[in-house]
Amino acid sequence: MMPGTEARLDVWRKGGTRQIEVKVGQFSDEKVASNDQPEAAKGRLGVVVRPLNAEEKRRAEVDNGVVVENVAGAAAKAGIKTGDIVLSVNGETITSTEQLRNIVTKAEKRIAVLVDRGNSRIFIPVDLG
């Protein structure tokens, strides 16, 4: 599919079919983070996250997730941005910062991160190295 294309897809998941709407976009080459953020760079993924507050959950229309406050390293290279809400990693819903840390610690070399960015939800593959 080309950028700007929209489609409806039937997806089979957990024993049932669900229809999703897909809009193909294109990433810009803008700089998403610098390497002068030592706290984020310490971790394998390269993010500093915090739990969502009630207002953020309401605005994003989500029940779970953590918000990215700082990004560097593998996450920055993959395109994760400050303000993204991490909803799941490798299909597992994220409910806390500790859970995210545990999943990343146990992961091998690549993970799929589902983020909510504005009004879009996108999967971002991240090479952990």
Side-chain angles (χ1 to χ4, degrees), residues 27-100:
F27 284 109
S28 67
D29 290 333
E30 72 182 87
K31 186 175 180 180
V32 295
S34 66
N35 288 329
D36 62 349
Q37 301 166 344
E39 189 177 357
K42 289 179 186 175
R44 192 169 177 216
L45 179 58
V47 293
V48 174
V49 297
R50 66 167 171 77
L52 291 166
N53 64 39
E55 177 61 22
E56 290 167 326
K57 287 180 182 180
R58 187 191 63 73
R59 273 194 316 242
E61 298 178 357
V62 297
D63 295 325
N64 296 299
V66 293
V67 65
V68 176
E69 291 199 319
N70 203 339
V71 63
K77 286 180 188 176
I80 293 175
K81 297 181 180 185
T82 300
D84 283 350
I85 298 171
V86 178
L87 300 172
S88 71
V89 174
N90 290 345
E92 190 170 337
T93 300
I94 300 300
T95 58
S96 69
T97 57
E98 294 80 19
Q99 180 196 22
L100 175 61

Side-chain angles (χ1 to χ4, degrees), residues 106-121:
K106 293 176 186 174
E108 296 198 12
K109 295 204 180 264
R110 182 173 247 199
I111 58 174
V113 181
L114 176 63
V115 300
D116 183 283
R117 181 179 296 160
N119 293 326
S120 300
R121 290 188 179 177

Side-chain angles (χ1 to χ4, degrees), residues 14 35 103:
K14 295 184 180 178
N35 288 329
I103 292 171

